[in-house]
Amino acid sequence: MASVSARAAEVLRPDNGRFGSGSVIAPGLVITARHVVADSSGTLPEGCQVLVRLLRHGGGRAVPVAVVWDGGRELDVVLLRGEPDLLGRQLEPLRWGELTCEAPTDRPECRAVGFPRAMKRGDLRDCREVIGQVSAISGLRAAKYELDVTNATAQEASGWSGLSGAGLFCHDLLIGIVNAVPDGWGARVLWATPARRLLASDGFVQAVTAAVGAAPWLESADQGLLFEHPPRPRLSPSYLLSPRAEVVPFSGMHYEIDQLLAWCVSGQPADVAVVTGPGGVGKTRLAAELMRRLAHRGTQSWTTGFLVDSRAHEPSSPYRMLTANTRPLLLAIDYAETRIGQVEQVLDALGNARHTERVRVLLLARSIRGWWTSLSVERQHTEVMGDGVTVHLSPTAAWHNLLPDQAIQDAADAFRSRIDVLRHGVPTAADDDPAVTAARPRKTIERQETTAHDIVSAHMTALAAVLADNDRQYPQAGRPVDVLIGHEHRYWSRSVRAAGLEATFKSRPELLRQLVASQRIVGATSRREALAAVAAAFEAHNRDIDEPQPLAPDTRTRIERMLADLYPSTGGVRWGAMSPDTLAAELIAQADEESDHELVAHLLPNDKLSPEQRRHGLTILARASATQHTLVASTARAFLRAPQTLLPDAISTAEALTQNDALVWLNGIRSMLTAQSQTRSLTTEIQQLDAAVERIQLTPEAPPPPELPAPAEANSSAETGPEEFHSIIGEPHNISTLRRFDQALRTLAHNAIRAGTPLPDLVTALITTAGDMELRLAASAAPIAPFQGTESALWQCPGRTTALLTATEAAGVPSPYPALVPFGHAPQGGSMLVNLEAMRLIYLQSPAGHSSSTIHNLARDLAHSPFADELHLHLVQVDLPARDQNITAKIHQHRSLHSALVQANQNHTSSRSRAPQIVLSKEPPSHRAGALLSQIVDAPISNTPFVITAAASPEIGPMVPWTLSITTQ
């Protein structure tokens, strides 16, 4: 941030000789005291009768300005607007603050720079830095801050004249505007209007937002050591997509925000709640919206903030300051599942105090498995926790009652508006980049596969459309994430030029991407760690060079400084990080792929990294692996290089993941170690992994509440399927049970893709009366979550498992077994299902008439199957009502089994999709059809349709292993 003196300005009224001080709060926008620019009657000037001259920049030029907001005589503050190129073009928008603690650990110094009358030397009006202390309590009734000056005092009050309008700063935050000298203190005390009073004015907020592009956010100045600050405005996708930047207006989550507001104002002195949900669903955005609403409640306003990561300070940090608040406090802790020790420290500090103001601790976590239950058992109904509220966010919570396409369009409009403001108000080399323009989104940009599942992906799609629409470098259709990373790369390249590092990266452009990826992976709390990370990244990049040229110390220093400036820290650590997690995960995966999947393998074990950097790296990689499946194997390769160093941290990292992600993470590592155990001794490590997997299987996620229904597409007329499925022997199967089984199968497929493991060949399945699920496979295989057991042909999954994808997430995974169909009931009860892909041809034998009803019921089941995204039903002498033909299946009616087989075979050969071609026939095969059936039995499974027909006579058709006999009861 710019220094106080860099923002200092002299404010002049040439027509009446009045003068004073001011501060640049954003390029072209100056704040000062009203009485400095008003005439003796209190009337403000019209037009540009006021001049502003910057102290340190602008070459001493006086710039005409006009009043754009008037706070009236009570506030005695105005905003002045001038030409941004002449007034602080190089300055970022400032941050706003207030004093919130009665007993800060170290009472901070406050300072102002202005032009008091006592500093006039002949015709020269010089500046003065005024330093002092401000109490959060003094002047409370008058709603004034009292600055007790410690470095100098004027001999009389008139000596301070001219300092009016100067900004009063504390730790780079503007906390007030100096405007008066109270009587009785020997000109040693100055009064200032608190910034909080300004931000309570809608007109002021609107004027600042119009100039800056973002609504001002009030931060704690004296407790600032403990709180993150908002991200600095940048013309980069990472900033625009940050939930803390609040570029896109808050949407959805109405029930959740109301629930949390009620929790905040409840009678409990201190309390803890948790918001949980997958990455990208809006947890941080929900917390930011809650903070904004609480911070603007007039006389009932709250102090709010995100707690900095404990890596930013020593364990003995002064959490006791959180117990001496002048206002109610809402403290959010992001990624709480990875910061349990810090959560405990905060709660211990709160539990040892008597609170005069409410304190609320809001935990944000992807997983609450295990740790939240333990925390609740220990803390529930104590002085720091009531019932322990849990808020579950579904993937579609942020756009409930809003269609995905509308959410994308609204986000695009918001990005377009913010980009317009940033281009004219934020200092950046991006101003010479014609690609960063606010153009209308291109309709041809393709939506990411996960867009319909989480709000972050929708926003990425919208931003990519806005950025790509006026940029010919990118094709008119493509992955949004590639467009965004392409723009990020331009942002990095401009920084490289500004740092004079072109020669370092000219011959190896992939190095820049790998450095930024390494920055995100290992992080750095200090400059020492940052320099070590740069060295480690270079060594990983040069791994195949026998005698690499050493990195010059000056070059390493400049690269480190450049990385620190790319993504400024918001919480006291040396390096910030690229966001959101989805975009950063894609970058890491691309950089690792460019290195032949060796970047992660060589970076993590590097002994230059601190233990904390390795732990941080494992946490980031574990999160990223949820969407970037190749990173599981890359991380496993790092383990092979240093298993004893990395394994304990990998296991502890898994404890903070969801059960599903943890099992995929650990089993992926185990598979790699097992494959190498033939050539080296890894028995101990594999046993540790097995124990961790068993422990995680015994600690399931808490089941979320039912999801609210998503809005229906406009003019949708699709009918729902039957509430019951009827098996081919006429007994009903509950549709909700089958749909849950479908969730389990799609979760299995999702995890198999992530781990790079082929799907097992499924033959039959059983859903027991208790809801437990069993798979019977064609061959033994190691189970894939959520299914459990030893390596065998029988996999099992408890019915009450919480390791499943949500219904919405599962819908985005292609069906793994689209030809699965209920096939009656087991003798011990429960639904039997068979995979027609494994059967290929089934003959039905039954008394007269029963085969027909069986095939009719089977056709109806398949038409409504939850297991197939799409299938083709070729029906021979089977009639279905119209309402049974609009769910899953495409119905093809045929007069003969032969014509059905010919058409199904042609469709299967010409189609690129996996949609099964299933033939159901009431008539037995003729000689012509029997010949085709023989070809089907002998052909590879991938090239044939699947057939169920009335049994052929012995002399017709092939001999088949699957014949179902139907008997009457």
Side-chain angles (χ1 to χ4, degrees):
M1 291 294 289
S3 65
V4 176
S5 63
R7 298 186 181 276
E10 186 179 10
V11 182
L12 309 168
R13 272 290 300 268
D15 58 331
N16 62 14
R18 287 177 177 258
F19 66 92
S21 304
S23 294
V24 180
I25 64 176
L29 196 62
V30 176
I31 192 168
T32 188
R34 185 184 193 276
H35 71 262
V36 169
V37 298
D39 58 26
S40 57
S41 66
T43 303
L44 293 174
E46 297 182 0
C48 297
Q49 299 181 37
V50 179
L51 300 177
V52 170
R53 181 185 293 118
L54 299 183
L55 171 62
R56 291 180 48 190
H57 301 281
R61 178 177 179 177
V63 181
V65 294
V67 176
V68 293
W69 177 79
D70 176 18
R73 297 191 181 192
E74 181 181 357
L75 288 178
D76 191 23
V77 176
V78 293
L79 287 176
L80 308 174
R81 182 72 175 173
E83 176 56 48
D85 285 337
L86 302 177
L87 278 177
R89 179 62 180 167
Q90 76 286 354
L91 299 176
E92 294 180 345
L94 57 68
R95 294 158 51 205
W96 305 84
E98 66 170 336
L99 301 178
T100 60
C101 184
E102 289 188 39
T105 302
D106 297 305
R107 193 171 296 279
E109 278 189 337
C110 299
R111 61 189 65 226
V113 175
F115 301 83
R117 185 182 300 274
M119 289 296 294
K120 186 174 183 181
R121 305 289 186 265
D123 293 334
L124 176 66
R125 186 178 295 114
D126 211 340
C127 65
R128 176 75 184 186
E129 181 181 35
V130 180
I131 301 174
Q133 292 189 331
V134 179
S135 167
I137 302 301
S138 297
L140 201 58
R141 287 185 173 177
K144 297 281 189 181
Y145 279 145
E146 293 191 351
L147 175 65
D148 190 355
V149 180
T150 58
N151 68 329
T153 57
Q155 293 183 352
E156 54 186 31
S158 61
W160 290 119
S161 176
L163 188 69
S164 290
L168 180 61
F169 288 82
C170 179
H171 292 318
D172 293 330
L173 304 179
L174 181 66
I175 66 171
I177 303 300
V178 176
N179 55 13
V181 182
D183 296 333
W185 299 100
R188 185 173 55 84
V189 174
L190 303 177
W191 268 358
T193 299
R196 172 173 282 281
R197 296 184 64 191
L198 304 180
L199 268 62
S201 165
D202 290 339
F204 180 85
V205 171
Q206 290 169 5
V208 173
T209 303
V212 175
W217 182 282
L218 202 62
E219 304 174 55
S220 174
D222 46 357
Q223 294 176 312
L225 173 70
L226 300 178
F227 297 123
E228 294 181 1
H229 57 75
R232 296 184 192 175
R234 289 284 192 276
L235 265 173
S236 81
S238 182
Y239 165 74
L240 292 166
L241 290 167
S242 170
R244 297 286 311 280
E246 301 180 276
V247 175
V248 180
F250 182 77
S251 65
M253 298 186 279
H254 306 300
Y255 170 77
E256 292 84 359
I257 196 79
D258 289 343
Q259 183 181 6
L260 290 173
L261 284 169
W263 166 71
C264 287
V265 300
S266 65
Q268 182 86 5
D271 207 351
V272 184
V274 65
V275 176
T276 182
V281 300
K283 299 184 294 295
T284 304
R285 185 65 180 89
L286 174 64
E289 179 67 17
L290 179 64
M291 290 179 180
R292 184 167 293 284
R293 296 190 186 188
L294 291 174
H296 295 88
R297 292 170 61 93
T299 58
Q300 301 298 317
S301 296
W302 287 50
T303 298
T304 64
F306 286 83
L307 186 69
V308 298
D309 194 309
S310 59
R311 295 182 306 144
H313 46 67
E314 296 300 321
S316 59
S317 286
Y319 293 129
R320 63 181 181 84
M321 281 200 299
L322 300 174
T323 67
N325 308 295
T326 59
R327 297 178 183 276
L329 171 67
L330 172 65
L331 182 68
I333 304 179
D334 214 348
Y335 300 110
E337 71 273 30
T338 67
R339 301 165 64 181
I340 304 303
Q342 190 179 14
V343 171
E344 294 281 6
Q345 287 181 348
V346 169
L347 297 185
D348 286 342
L350 296 178
N352 293 328
R354 179 167 296 178
H355 302 283
T356 57
E357 298 287 353
R358 292 189 185 96
V359 176
R360 298 291 182 266
V361 179
L362 182 64
L363 309 178
L364 310 178
R366 294 187 180 189
S367 169
I368 57 174
R369 180 177 53 84
W371 69 268
W372 175 242
T373 300
S374 300
L375 188 72
S376 299
V377 169
E378 179 184 355
R379 305 280 186 172
Q380 221 168 34
H381 305 300
T382 66
E383 61 276 8
V384 295
M385 182 189 287
D387 293 330
V389 173
T390 301
V391 176
H392 292 269
L393 283 187
S394 72
T396 57
W399 52 26
H400 185 57
N401 295 329
L402 185 66
L403 293 175
D405 287 345
Q406 184 61 51
I408 292 171
Q409 184 60 54
D410 290 348
D413 292 341
F415 288 128
R416 193 179 303 113
S417 298
R418 181 67 64 90
I419 289 172
D420 273 342
V421 175
L422 292 179
R423 281 182 56 79
H424 295 92
V426 173
T428 173
D431 292 336
D432 60 6
D433 184 358
V436 187
T437 58
R440 291 208 54 85
R442 180 185 279 150
K443 293 182 179 179
T444 53
I445 200 84
E446 74 176 24
R447 191 187 300 176
Q448 277 186 308
E449 186 174 300
T450 55
T451 294
H453 300 153
D454 63 74
I455 197 67
V456 166
S457 295
H459 290 177
M460 289 171 62
T461 299
L463 180 57
V466 172
L467 295 177
D469 192 62
N470 201 42
D471 189 351
R472 296 179 182 178
Q473 175 177 336
Y474 296 99
Q476 291 194 353
R479 292 200 313 158
V481 70
D482 292 331
V483 175
L484 298 177
I485 290 181
H487 276 273
E488 283 292 291
H489 200 283
R490 291 185 178 186
Y491 173 59
W492 308 334
S493 298
R494 290 191 295 270
S495 297
V496 166
R497 293 195 298 271
L501 292 165
E502 298 100 315
T504 303
F505 298 101
K506 184 176 182 179
S507 62
R508 40 187 178 179
E510 76 287 348
L511 175 59
L512 181 57
R513 188 189 301 263
Q514 292 178 20
L515 277 167
V516 178
S518 299
Q519 177 194 40
R520 183 66 182 103
I521 294 171
V522 301
T525 63
S526 64
R527 188 168 176 272
R528 179 190 296 272
E529 284 191 348
L531 290 170
V534 171
F538 262 82
E539 289 182 9
H541 179 267
N542 296 331
R543 64 194 177 278
D544 295 328
I545 302 176
D546 293 334
E547 296 182 4
Q549 184 176 355
L551 184 62
D554 175 67
T555 302
R556 183 171 62 153
T557 298
R558 284 189 290 151
I559 290 174
E560 187 281 320
R561 188 180 301 118
M562 178 199 70
L563 291 172
D565 290 340
L566 277 181
Y567 302 108
S569 168
T570 61
V573 295
R574 175 62 181 173
W575 278 350
M578 182 182 181
S579 65
D581 286 349
T582 304
L583 189 63
E586 179 73 28
L587 169 67
I588 294 170
Q590 289 186 11
D592 190 60
E593 183 178 2
E594 282 180 343
S595 69
D596 295 328
H597 300 288
E598 294 294 335
L599 173 63
V600 170
H602 285 78
L603 178 67
L604 274 186
N606 193 294
D607 57 10
K608 289 183 172 62
L609 301 179
S610 69
E612 176 54 40
Q613 285 178 296
R614 291 195 189 92
R615 284 191 290 271
H616 183 265
L618 288 167
T619 299
I620 296 299
L621 289 167
R623 288 184 201 145
S625 297
T627 56
Q628 301 297 327
H629 317 313
T630 60
L631 291 178
V632 175
S634 295
T635 308
R637 279 191 285 274
F639 279 82
L640 292 175
R641 297 174 61 86
Q644 294 180 345
T645 301
L646 296 176
L647 187 60
D649 288 334
I651 292 174
S652 63
T653 296
E655 298 290 351
L657 302 175
T658 64
Q659 185 184 49
N660 185 64
D661 289 346
L663 292 175
V664 171
W665 167 255
L666 293 179
N667 283 326
I669 295 170
R670 185 191 186 282
S671 296
M672 184 68 76
L673 296 185
T674 301
Q676 295 294 319
S677 62
Q678 310 252 342
T679 58
R680 54 191 295 190
S681 177
L682 295 169
T683 304
T684 301
E685 288 79 3
I686 293 173
Q687 290 175 344
Q688 291 174 347
L689 285 168
D690 288 340
V693 167
E694 182 178 359
R695 185 168 60 252
I696 288 170
Q697 288 176 337
L698 296 174
T699 314
E701 293 281 351
E707 293 184 36
L708 296 172
E713 295 288 346
N715 301 320
S716 174
S717 59
E719 298 180 27
T720 58
E723 288 305 311
E724 292 180 337
F725 270 52
H726 290 270
S727 75
I728 62 172
I729 54 176
E731 297 181 10
H733 298 267
N734 187 283
I735 183 60
S736 62
T737 300
L738 295 179
R739 284 175 178 160
R740 182 164 176 79
F741 183 49
D742 179 57
Q743 275 181 261
L745 293 177
R746 292 178 191 253
T747 301
L748 181 154
H750 172 76
N751 293 335
I753 293 170
R754 288 175 55 186
T757 304
L759 283 170
D761 293 329
L762 176 64
V763 180
T764 63
L766 171 68
I767 307 174
T768 69
T769 54
D772 297 332
M773 296 166 271
E774 296 181 359
L775 303 183
R776 295 192 178 273
L777 311 178
S780 295
I784 302 172
F787 290 88
Q788 305 170 6
T790 59
E791 183 168 331
S792 68
L794 175 63
W795 292 3
Q796 298 175 314
C797 177
R800 299 178 62 85
T801 182
T802 57
L804 304 185
L805 299 175
T806 66
T808 308
E809 292 170 329
V813 179
S815 172
Y817 303 107
L820 196 64
V821 64
F823 229 82
H825 290 260
Q828 67 271 32
S831 299
M832 286 291 299
L833 300 97
V834 300
N835 183 13
L836 297 183
E837 289 180 301
M839 308 293 189
R840 196 179 314 191
L841 174 60
I842 300 176
Y843 282 162
L844 298 181
Q845 290 182 340
S846 67
H850 284 274
S851 177
S852 296
S853 61
T854 296
I855 290 178
H856 186 280
N857 285 335
L858 180 58
R860 188 167 184 269
D861 283 4
L862 286 167
H864 295 282
S865 172
F867 305 110
D869 300 319
E870 180 187 349
L871 57 79
H872 292 259
L873 280 182
H874 298 267
L875 305 181
V876 182
Q877 299 180 14
V878 180
D879 295 323
L880 288 180
R883 65 187 179 88
D884 286 332
Q885 299 185 23
N886 59 3
I887 304 299
T888 299
K890 293 184 178 180
I891 308 298
H892 308 271
Q893 295 286 353
H894 300 274
R895 293 185 177 181
S896 69
L897 176 58
H898 180 268
S899 65
L901 292 173
V902 171
Q903 184 63 54
N905 212 33
Q906 290 177 349
N907 287 0
H908 202 289
T909 303
S910 61
S911 175
R912 295 183 179 181
S913 73
R914 285 195 66 225
Q917 306 283 332
I918 300 177
V919 178
L920 301 176
S921 175
K922 290 182 181 180
E923 73 170 30
S926 64
H927 284 281
R928 291 176 66 198
L932 287 178
L933 289 176
S934 296
Q935 295 176 17
I936 288 173
V937 171
D938 294 335
I941 291 179
S942 59
N943 295 331
T944 63
F946 315 118
V947 183
I948 300 179
T949 178
S953 60
E955 69 277 7
I956 296 177
M959 295 295 294
V960 297
W962 300 103
T963 299
L964 177 65
S965 298
I966 302 173
T967 59
T968 58
Q969 298 294 325

